[in-house]
Amino acid sequence: MLVSNEALLGIALVELGLVIVPGPNMIYLVSRSIAQGRRAGLISLAGVGIGFLVYLLAASAGLATLFALVPQIYLTLKLAGAAYLLWLAWNALRPGGTSVFATQELEPDRPRKLFGMGLLTCLLNPKIAILYISLLPQFLDPSRGHLGVQSLVLGLTQLTVGVVMNAVFVITAGSVAVFLSRRPSWMRIHRYLTGTALAVFAIRLATDRARPLATH
């Protein structure tokens, strides 16, 4: 096999862990699903999926090599991503902050805008960028063949897990929001857990000294 079962399982578990931690994608998808319904959430998710694919194709084409050769670009992206995650964490933890599942009044958007916002949210998500340019190469095995093809296979595995799990959040968002709205203490706990998780991830991202590995 071009990619080992251990590598496929590893990247799937990593993506599962990342998608469970609330980030920009989940926050947007859940908020849109609660405000405008499941159909709007799924259209937005289609945009997110295309964003995953854009990063995947760029990584397979040698994006990681660029970052390895010009580490300043990688460092800038990493620090910008950490700052964005800290901002999301502050919004959740600050006095008067809200949970991702809190109901919000949002203006209904047309399908094209829903798709575009989902795509943009994914492309600006630092977790996805770091996953493809830094973590994904750790699962590559030069003895198994072309590293670019291995990246593509592993990335498609990650993409599938990410889209499926986000679809679950979209479909259940309304029910979870109603459940938590009737239990204010649970809503506060969820908000604090979300904010703490985002802050921890941001700090780890900013202080991680690992450099991206070339995939070619």
Side-chain angles (χ1 to χ4, degrees):
M1 292 179 62
L2 184 63
V3 178
S4 69
N5 291 330
E6 290 77 11
L8 290 173
L9 178 61
I11 198 69
L13 291 176
V14 168
E15 174 59 17
L16 182 61
L18 288 175
V19 78
I20 288 176
V21 177
N25 287 346
M26 184 197 294
I27 291 173
Y28 174 72
L29 292 173
V30 169
S31 298
R32 182 52 62 186
S33 299
I34 293 173
Q36 199 172 337
R38 294 176 180 173
R39 180 175 178 272
L42 291 174
I43 293 174
S44 301
L45 177 58
V48 170
I50 296 299
F52 277 127
L53 188 59
V54 169
Y55 268 121
L56 171 58
L57 294 177
S60 299
L63 181 63
T65 303
L66 171 64
F67 282 96
L69 295 175
V70 190
Q72 293 81 4
I73 299 178
Y74 174 70
L75 178 62
T76 300
L77 173 66
K78 185 173 70 169
L79 293 179
Y84 182 46
L85 291 176
L86 283 174
W87 179 75
L88 292 175
W90 166 246
N91 283 336
L93 294 173
R94 65 180 174 80
T98 59
S99 166
V100 64
F101 286 102
T103 55
Q104 303 180 43
E105 292 295 331
L106 298 177
E107 290 293 328
D109 286 331
R110 295 179 179 276
R112 180 179 298 180
K113 185 175 181 180
L114 292 171
F115 180 89
M117 286 300 297
L119 173 61
L120 183 62
T121 300
C122 184
L123 293 178
L124 295 178
N125 185 350
K127 290 199 299 184
I128 306 304
I130 297 303
L131 174 68
Y132 283 129
I133 66 179
S134 181
L135 184 60
L136 190 61
Q138 310 302 323
F139 293 92
L140 301 178
D141 184 353
S143 67
R144 289 181 173 268
H146 195 280
L147 296 182
V149 178
Q150 288 188 48
S151 296
L152 184 62
V153 173
L154 290 168
L156 288 174
T157 301
Q158 171 275 327
L159 190 154
T160 300
V161 173
V163 170
V164 169
M165 289 304 301
N166 276 299
V168 171
F169 290 129
V170 166
I171 293 171
T172 61
S175 300
V176 174
V178 171
F179 176 84
L180 291 177
S181 67
R182 296 173 179 173
R183 296 164 177 80
S185 59
W186 286 37
M187 183 76 81
R188 284 194 298 273
I189 291 173
H190 180 269
R191 178 163 61 89
Y192 293 143
L193 289 176
T194 298
T196 301
L198 287 169
V200 168
F201 189 84
I203 293 171
R204 290 183 60 184
L205 181 60
T207 58
D208 183 14
R209 296 184 179 181
R211 296 180 60 183
L213 301 177
T215 57
H216 290 269

